[in-house]
Amino acid sequence: MISGQAREPRIKSDNLRLARRHIYSYLLQTFFHEQMDLLPEAQQNTLAASRPDLMSAFGLATAFFHGDDQFTFAAFQQWMKGPNSKKVHDRIVSWLPNELFPDASKREVEKATYVIAVSAEMIEELTAIGKKVEANESAGGEEATEPEETAEPLTLLDLLFDKGLLPSYAFPTDLCSFVIQERADFGKIIERERPQLGKTQALSEYAPGRILVVNKQTYRVGGIFFDGLATASPAEGFFDGVRDRYIGCPRCSFVRLEETADVASPLAEKECPVCHGELQANELLDPPAFSPEAGRRLRDEDRDQDITYASSAQLPELVDRDFQWDSLTGSQISFAYREGVKLIVTNKGKNGTGFGVCETCGAAWLSDDPESEKEHPRPFLLPDYVRKREQPPKHCNGHVRKGLYLGHQFRTDILLLRLEFDATMDFNPELPWVNDALATCSEAVALGSSLGLSIDPGELSSGYRFVPAAHGGIGTAEIYLFDTASGGAGYAYEVGRNLQAMLPRIEELLTVCPAHCERSCTKCLRHYGNRFLHPRLDRRLGLQLLRYARLSELPAIPSESEQKNTLEPLARFFQLEGWTLAWADEGLLASPVGGSKTIAIGTYPALLSKAEAEKRHPLMHGSGGTRILLPDYLVERDLPSAYQGVVKHVKV
């Protein structure tokens, strides 16, 4: 992170999606500036004082769409048709990058036409958003624009960022604070510190139980913080109404989100559609902010902490009809692109048991923490006037709701790569080698695509999931590539448009490592962003999967020398157990202590189905004796299990 040459910053100046957002931004800010200039100075100062921070600069979304002053959508539409519109369009044409339109002879005309078209699209999009705001208001809600959204954008800028209409420059717009208070004179409570992180990062760094050092003081995260009027019970009512449930399978990566007013109600479908395991449902909590345990810093001797991490971005279940699928000729890959897809990041606590949160004060722990069963200090400080007004007990005794997952949902553009498995491949979502191969392949897709587009690797990220089998196959997996910029930046779309040319670059990453590593290293696949995946990244597995998907090429049976190298550690294990060993052309020959039975052992690529391996492996074509094949992954990563796989063939 801190050594080596700094990466050269680059921007894709030929990206029409980014250009459209900058045009939207320029039109909106120019309108507000010009309207502001028409006001008397005193009125300008008053308006500025009422909108003190950046996100409130354009006011509330409802005021823009349904207000009656000069800063409304109706006024914006009139301004777009006014006498200055031609000058504004000309200024936009002057700063639009030439790379957007390669043909120099038509460039100026194409730029002007593009600006006019984008301006019309902006009016259409804002009109549609305004209707949703109005419909939501009529239903008694606030500015949220879609029923499933739990984070209600309050300001116009919040709303437009949420819809991906403005450039974000990968800067997080969904921020989460850690609020530190202190007691001032006359019993007042003031805010001492308020560090902030992007919500996806805060779910790990600010999770209950974590130790934080802020301005040389040490705190332990101990609660969910609710801004608003000071009260001893700020969490009351927060859990009322419709809530999101996270429905997932502990055996595979299947995830579904649903809204319900009764989060404890039984699931309509309890069986996972992918692996047929039992689905589990947990209430999802998007924390507005966090606060220290008891609202204070820790004693010097108290440094215990519980460390939990948020998952990588997961793709919930999607409806196939929402996608237009294309196929690559001669491959097992089909792909589709879509804008504004919802992804979710969750912190599930330890072992998926979640967190406990007090429904009265917001104090929070791991679900199995015994402190959650007792009266507990509030995770904030109470002003004296609140104590006199409410006369709360010294410690809160509110009900603790357990099993909550901390989560954050965001929308971006994704490219889906669907891989179909047939009976020749070993497809089981529970097997570690299947998951490691998909994890490696998805990382290679993200890195290779960023290199192919000449963009910073941080602009693209990826993941994978299992979906129900299609087209008569035995299983289906999907790798999803998404833009990390809020709302998407169009890079995933470019990868899909040039997928045939990108795949060789991706395969090269898996084939060649400058450091000639065995599985993965910082010279090929590893980087800080995928540090939690480092033990799972394996170039060989990823390459086998990619070549199967791309060329329908099955993993090759290893040569005799390769099998011997793989089996050497297992042979030493057998020797320690007293077995008699010998090497032959047909593999490793092993005889147990005091036994006359000899077992011939060979290895095969773990991604290959066992039936296909037995059909193709030379060892199984011999005659006489017991002959067994072991997945190479098992021998390399789990010697005790490989040993037991042989022992079970010995009759005692």
Side-chain angles (χ1 to χ4, degrees):
M1 292 176 66
I2 59 175
S3 65
Q5 186 176 359
R7 184 180 290 115
E8 178 184 355
R10 296 181 180 180
I11 186 170
K12 290 287 290 184
S13 56
D14 59 347
N15 190 314
L16 289 172
R17 182 80 183 274
L18 294 180
R20 182 175 65 181
R21 291 185 184 177
H22 280 83
I23 294 173
Y24 283 6
S25 175
Y26 185 84
L27 289 171
L28 203 62
Q29 71 182 24
T30 304
F31 163 72
F32 272 89
H33 286 166
E34 291 189 2
Q35 296 295 92
M36 182 75 94
D37 291 341
L38 297 176
L39 298 177
E41 184 176 354
Q43 195 172 345
Q44 290 185 30
N45 294 335
T46 302
L47 191 62
S50 67
R51 302 175 181 180
D53 57 75
L54 176 63
M55 296 307 293
S56 65
F58 289 172
L60 298 180
T62 48
F64 176 74
F65 286 108
H66 307 299
D68 56 4
D69 59 17
Q70 62 270 59
F71 298 102
T72 63
F73 179 45
F76 179 68
Q77 288 177 288
Q78 291 298 320
W79 177 82
M80 291 278 282
K81 300 175 183 176
N84 290 332
S85 60
K86 177 68 166 58
K87 293 181 180 178
V88 175
H89 286 173
D90 289 343
R91 288 201 295 268
I92 295 174
V93 168
S94 69
W95 55 252
L96 274 180
N98 291 334
E99 290 84 353
L100 290 170
F101 303 99
D103 191 343
S105 63
K106 302 177 182 178
R107 182 175 295 148
E108 293 305 310
V109 174
E110 289 179 336
K111 279 187 180 183
T113 303
Y114 179 68
V115 171
I116 293 172
V118 170
S119 300
E121 290 173 8
M122 183 180 185
I123 296 297
E124 291 177 3
E125 292 199 60
L126 291 177
T127 299
I129 293 173
K131 290 179 179 178
K132 291 183 179 180
V133 171
E134 183 178 9
N136 199 265
E137 282 185 307
S138 301
E142 296 193 31
E143 288 78 34
T145 59
E146 297 185 23
E148 75 272 19
E149 292 178 358
T150 57
E152 298 180 349
L154 300 176
T155 71
L156 178 61
L157 277 178
D158 279 326
L159 180 60
L160 298 183
F161 274 123
D162 184 65
K163 290 300 177 184
L165 300 186
L166 301 179
S168 65
Y169 310 105
F171 186 81
T173 55
D174 296 312
L175 297 174
C176 189
S177 303
F178 181 66
V179 182
I180 302 171
Q181 301 170 314
E182 68 176 13
R183 196 171 294 277
D185 296 335
F186 308 108
K188 292 183 177 180
I189 302 301
I190 61 173
E191 190 177 286
R192 180 182 179 184
E193 305 279 356
R194 196 182 183 100
Q196 291 182 317
L197 288 173
K199 185 67 71 73
T200 55
Q201 187 179 357
L203 292 180
S204 295
E205 301 299 327
Y206 294 168
R210 289 292 290 260
I211 293 288
L212 297 179
V213 178
V214 181
N215 198 16
K216 301 181 182 179
Q217 301 294 333
T218 305
Y219 304 87
R220 183 165 47 236
V221 182
I224 309 299
F225 188 83
F226 301 89
D227 283 304
L229 295 175
T231 175
S233 52
E236 283 189 351
F238 182 77
F239 295 95
D240 297 340
V242 175
R243 307 289 299 165
D244 275 331
R245 279 204 300 187
Y246 177 99
I247 300 171
C249 176
R251 294 170 53 182
C252 69
S253 60
F254 178 81
V255 174
R256 184 172 72 240
L257 299 178
E258 72 173 22
E259 284 191 335
T260 177
D262 182 9
V263 293
S265 62
L267 295 175
E269 298 178 6
K270 296 184 178 181
E271 184 178 283
C272 174
V274 177
C275 69
H276 307 294
E278 185 176 357
L279 294 175
Q280 296 181 357
N282 292 78
E283 185 176 354
L284 200 61
L285 171 63
D286 191 341
F290 293 92
S291 55
E293 185 179 284
R296 297 181 173 87
R297 68 182 181 90
L298 296 176
R299 301 186 303 273
D300 291 340
E301 66 274 12
D302 188 357
R303 292 297 182 269
D304 293 337
Q305 70 171 324
D306 295 307
I307 299 177
T308 57
Y309 294 102
S311 66
S312 56
Q314 293 179 282
L315 179 63
E317 182 183 29
L318 296 171
V319 181
D320 239 16
R321 64 174 177 268
D322 294 337
F323 290 85
Q324 183 67 43
W325 291 92
D326 292 312
S327 299
L328 289 180
T329 305
S331 75
Q332 309 281 352
I333 301 176
S334 53
F335 62 96
Y337 171 79
R338 189 179 171 197
E339 298 179 3
V341 175
K342 181 186 292 184
L343 298 178
I344 182 169
V345 175
T346 55
N347 188 333
K348 304 176 184 178
K350 286 190 176 179
N351 303 317
T353 56
F355 296 88
V357 178
C358 175
E359 296 179 350
T360 302
C361 70
W365 313 261
L366 292 173
S367 277
D368 58 359
D369 193 320
E371 295 298 317
S372 64
E373 303 292 340
K374 309 173 185 177
E375 290 187 348
H376 48 268
R378 298 172 181 86
F380 52 86
L381 303 179
L382 273 179
D384 287 349
Y385 74 88
V386 174
R387 293 185 182 277
K388 292 178 182 178
R389 182 184 68 206
E390 300 182 9
Q391 297 183 352
K394 181 179 180 181
H395 290 113
C396 179
N397 57 2
H399 176 262
V400 176
R401 185 178 292 220
K402 295 190 175 183
L404 297 175
Y405 285 177
L406 304 181
H408 173 60
Q409 303 172 38
F410 63 97
R411 293 183 181 275
T412 188
D413 301 343
I414 68 166
L415 173 69
L416 279 179
L417 303 179
R418 176 170 288 180
L419 315 179
E420 303 286 351
F421 290 77
D422 61 26
T424 61
M425 297 289 281
D426 191 358
F427 181 85
N428 185 339
E430 296 182 67
L431 294 175
W433 47 83
V434 175
N435 284 273
D436 286 5
L438 284 165
T440 304
C441 211
S442 67
E443 286 298 311
V445 167
L447 285 173
S449 298
S450 62
L451 291 173
L453 295 179
S454 299
I455 59 174
D456 189 285
E459 297 285 358
L460 288 169
S461 191
S462 61
Y464 71 92
R465 66 174 189 166
F466 298 98
V467 296
H471 308 302
I474 64 166
T476 304
E478 289 178 348
I479 291 173
Y480 49 93
L481 182 73
F482 61 92
D483 297 332
T484 56
S486 178
Y491 296 133
Y493 170 74
E494 288 192 51
V495 175
R497 190 174 60 178
N498 302 287
L499 185 60
Q500 196 75 57
M502 292 288 180
L503 288 175
R505 188 63 180 266
I506 296 168
E507 184 172 328
E508 183 182 358
L509 269 179
L510 297 170
T511 307
V512 180
C513 172
H516 307 289
C517 67
E518 183 177 351
R519 292 176 183 163
S520 66
C521 69
T522 55
K523 300 295 183 182
C524 54
L525 292 177
R526 296 186 180 185
H527 55 79
Y528 183 76
N530 63 17
R531 59 195 180 281
F532 300 123
L533 291 175
H534 286 180
R536 297 175 53 192
L537 298 179
D538 189 322
R539 291 189 300 111
R540 182 196 61 193
L541 276 175
L543 181 62
Q544 290 175 354
L545 178 61
L546 181 62
R547 291 190 67 84
Y548 168 75
R550 183 187 175 199
L551 306 172
S552 300
E553 178 184 296
L554 294 177
I557 299 296
S559 65
E560 292 178 6
S561 61
E562 290 172 333
Q563 292 186 66
K564 184 175 181 181
N565 288 336
T566 303
L567 289 169
E568 281 284 3
L570 182 61
R572 291 194 292 271
F573 198 105
F574 278 121
Q575 287 177 332
L576 292 174
E577 297 295 324
W579 286 52
T580 302
L581 303 176
W583 292 97
D585 292 342
E586 50 196 320
L588 174 63
L589 305 179
S591 301
V593 180
S596 58
K597 185 175 184 178
T598 299
I599 301 174
I601 307 168
T603 65
Y604 68 94
L607 291 179
L608 204 62
S609 70
K610 190 169 184 179
E612 185 68 19
E614 290 176 348
K615 184 193 306 181
R616 300 172 57 200
H617 203 292
L619 178 67
M620 306 307 291
H621 295 163
S623 59
T626 302
R627 299 165 181 269
I628 65 171
L629 298 178
L630 297 173
D632 51 9
Y633 183 102
L634 189 69
V635 178
E636 294 169 349
R637 308 282 187 105
D638 190 358
L639 279 177
S641 295
Y643 174 75
Q644 290 299 323
V646 176
V647 169
K648 70 180 182 181
H649 290 272
V650 180
K651 291 183 180 180
V652 180

